[in-house]
Amino acid sequence: MNTTSGPNAPRPTPGAHSTPGAHSTPGGPTAVDTVERIPILDWTMPQLTQWLTDRSFPKFRAGQIFRWIYQRRANTFEQMTDLPKELRAQLDSAFEIFRSTTAAHQHSSDGTEKLLLQLADGGRIECVLLRDGPRRSICVSSQVGCAMGCVFCASGLDGVERNLTRGEILEQMLKLQQLLEPDERLSHIVMMGMGEPLANLPRVLDALEVAKDSDLGLGISPRRITISTVGLPPAIDKLAAADAPYHLAISLHAPNDELRNRLVPVNKNTGIDAILDAADRYFDKTRRRLTFEYVLLGGLNDSVQCARQLVQLLRGRTAMLNVIPYNPVPGLPYETPSPDAVLQFRRNLLDGGINVMFRQRKGDDIQAACGQLRRLREREPQVVGISQLPGSTT
Ligand code: SAH
């Protein structure tokens, strides 16, 4: 597992002045005896091994603890019954496993479940479990809010608050894993929740290291992990250099800069050509087929001309185009195209020889689209329409 770095790096082991268990002192904490417990999901194997060694516990306990958390779905140290009682007590004093509370839990009739999590600092994020045949896919957030400002997306309407930590990204995965039946296993991860994963790349990569670790972590093949990005060329290059062979999905949404600048304002800083160049470099390095996502907005980017331009743009690339009908966001003026318009658009692309996929709608009745539930809970309760989660991998 990687060592976490940057502003969200884990705090050091509690020092000698700390009083184990003091966090539960009756009458409330005082300046002297307060010990904030460490989020264990922020910790790496070497860090936990060191902590155990410092306390004269054998090193192999670290592996046992991580397997309990990531594979055996424990949510308390007490459940780790093959650890000595003394160790469990010390772990409980020093660490927390889950730090968020579940502010909302919604079930869709199609098996999709969505969690709205309230983080320790009050920030709220969403994550989703999708059941599709044998697949158990999860959609995970990378930031509280989003700075990209895509005009049709609920996540970015209030801007970005902050990056999530490695532990907060992992916590979503574990909380969704806990929703599974004992005989169900997570199979796919898509970083397509709130936020721009490539704007928080170090933490996303740290968390995905654990997700793909089959010895101590979740054991999900990197082929089944998708990072979805608005398209930030330098960060795409960094991802390629990190030698993490994840599936890359690029949210294109428009076939020319004039339209994309309107729909995806950060495009003004990059332009489509630079994004496609970076995508080509990613493909050359990883040989992984890319996915381009295209949210279909009625009357805006669903014309025959747009389809033709898209064909020109993507022709010759080993890529899949994932067309997603817009999910209405209350208060936004965009429209879901009619089924006929969707069909026609699809036909035009297929005629042009483009690999195109239209995803089944999932979670229609629970606002499963990016950032929708959070906004719903912040405002007046109201019924919003469709939701759907775009593409994933093999
Ligand atoms: N920031 C990343 C990942 C999060 S958004 C990105 O841009 O890819 C995940 C996907 O959901 C993106 O393709 C985004 O454009 C799409 N999306 C956002 N709001 C949507 C909506 N209301 N309807 C349909 N798709 C939406």
Side-chain angles (χ1 to χ4, degrees):
M1 293 181 195
N2 274 356
T3 306
T4 308
S5 56
N8 292 315
R11 270 154 284 148
T13 309
H17 63 279
S18 63
T19 313
H23 56 276
S24 57
T25 306
T30 67
V32 179
D33 65 3
T34 299
V35 178
E36 202 185 320
R37 292 189 296 168
I38 299 163
I40 198 163
L41 302 184
D42 275 336
W43 269 31
T44 60
M45 185 69 172
Q47 286 173 304
L48 186 58
T49 306
Q50 184 63 50
W51 184 91
L52 289 163
T53 311
D54 290 348
R55 286 155 186 78
S56 307
F57 290 110
K59 287 181 176 165
F60 74 89
R61 297 288 182 202
Q64 272 180 302
I65 294 163
F66 278 143
R67 282 187 199 101
W68 269 109
I69 293 173
Y70 294 110
Q71 300 176 355
R72 303 176 75 179
R73 306 181 192 182
N75 54 19
T76 66
F77 294 105
E78 195 47 42
Q79 291 166 346
M80 303 181 185
T81 43
D82 51 7
L83 302 183
K85 261 194 159 16
E86 172 56 23
L87 174 56
R88 279 186 267 164
Q90 287 201 33
L91 286 166
D92 193 46
S93 296
F95 296 102
E96 281 178 296
I97 303 179
F98 292 140
R99 308 187 78 213
S100 69
T101 53
T102 302
H105 178 183
Q106 298 192 328
H107 300 253
S108 161
S109 49
D110 64 16
T112 303
E113 293 182 56
K114 179 162 192 167
L115 298 177
L116 178 67
L117 300 181
Q118 173 138 346
L119 304 172
D121 67 354
R124 288 179 159 205
I125 52 167
E126 302 176 8
C127 54
V128 183
L129 165 69
L130 296 114
R131 293 181 167 89
D132 188 6
R135 284 183 179 208
R136 299 293 175 267
S137 308
I138 56 174
C139 178
V140 174
S141 294
S142 54
Q143 298 181 308
V144 184
C146 185
M148 300 300 116
C150 303
V151 293
F152 51 83
C153 177
S155 295
L157 289 176
D158 301 318
V160 66
E161 279 176 39
R162 66 174 174 87
N163 285 335
L164 294 181
T165 61
R166 156 203 161 115
E168 288 166 335
I169 297 170
L170 286 168
E171 181 157 343
Q172 297 170 71
M173 299 178 190
L174 294 180
K175 285 209 154 169
L176 292 167
Q177 179 172 247
Q178 293 206 327
L179 302 179
L180 297 176
E181 299 297 325
D183 62 343
E184 289 180 307
R185 276 180 55 81
L186 292 183
S187 63
H188 293 73
I189 298 177
V190 294
M191 296 301 306
M192 280 188 193
M194 291 171 59
E196 170 49 48
L198 295 193
N200 187 18
L201 190 58
R203 263 71 58 186
V204 167
L205 288 181
D206 281 349
L208 292 182
E209 277 294 311
V210 182
K212 71 178 168 134
D213 181 346
S214 52
D215 179 23
L216 301 171
L218 295 170
I220 298 178
S221 156
R223 290 177 171 277
R224 296 177 167 202
I225 297 177
T226 299
I227 299 182
S228 179
T229 177
V230 72
L232 306 175
I236 293 174
D237 287 335
K238 267 190 205 152
L239 183 61
D243 212 21
Y246 301 114
H247 184 94
L248 186 65
I250 296 182
S251 295
L252 195 57
H253 308 323
N256 60 65
D257 280 328
E258 192 268 310
L259 183 56
R260 195 168 195 266
N261 289 348
R262 276 162 55 201
L263 301 180
V264 181
V266 290
N267 191 64
K268 290 174 201 148
N269 307 331
T270 51
I272 292 176
D273 284 349
I275 295 172
L276 292 182
D277 286 349
D280 290 343
R281 289 193 293 274
Y282 192 83
F283 176 77
D284 287 343
K285 175 89 194 292
T286 63
R287 306 314 283 179
R288 285 285 147 81
R289 187 179 65 181
L290 299 159
T291 299
F292 290 96
E293 292 164 279
Y294 195 95
V295 172
L296 212 52
L297 301 155
L300 265 178
N301 63 357
D302 62 345
S303 65
V304 181
Q305 204 200 355
C306 282
R308 286 204 190 113
Q309 287 182 1
L310 257 182
V311 169
Q312 290 302 321
L313 212 56
L314 300 185
R315 187 172 272 163
R317 289 194 159 82
T318 308
M320 166 73 86
L321 184 70
N322 185 15
V323 177
I324 312 148
Y326 166 66
N327 296 326
V329 175
L332 295 186
Y334 306 103
E335 281 175 22
T336 309
S338 70
D340 269 359
V342 175
L343 246 156
Q344 188 55 50
F345 195 76
R346 174 172 197 231
R347 221 171 280 139
N348 293 336
L349 294 168
L350 288 172
D351 288 349
I354 297 296
N355 257 326
V356 58
M357 167 167 67
F358 283 77
R359 297 291 298 177
Q360 290 269 312
R361 281 184 163 165
K362 287 273 167 196
D364 272 17
D365 43 347
I366 58 165
Q367 299 87 48
C370 210
Q372 288 193 352
L373 179 61
R374 185 178 74 136
R375 288 189 73 75
L376 201 66
R377 290 288 158 144
E378 280 164 1
R379 287 167 173 69
E380 282 300 294
Q382 53 181 308
V383 179
V384 296
I386 308 308
S387 58
Q388 183 259 6
L389 281 159
S392 66
T393 57
T394 47

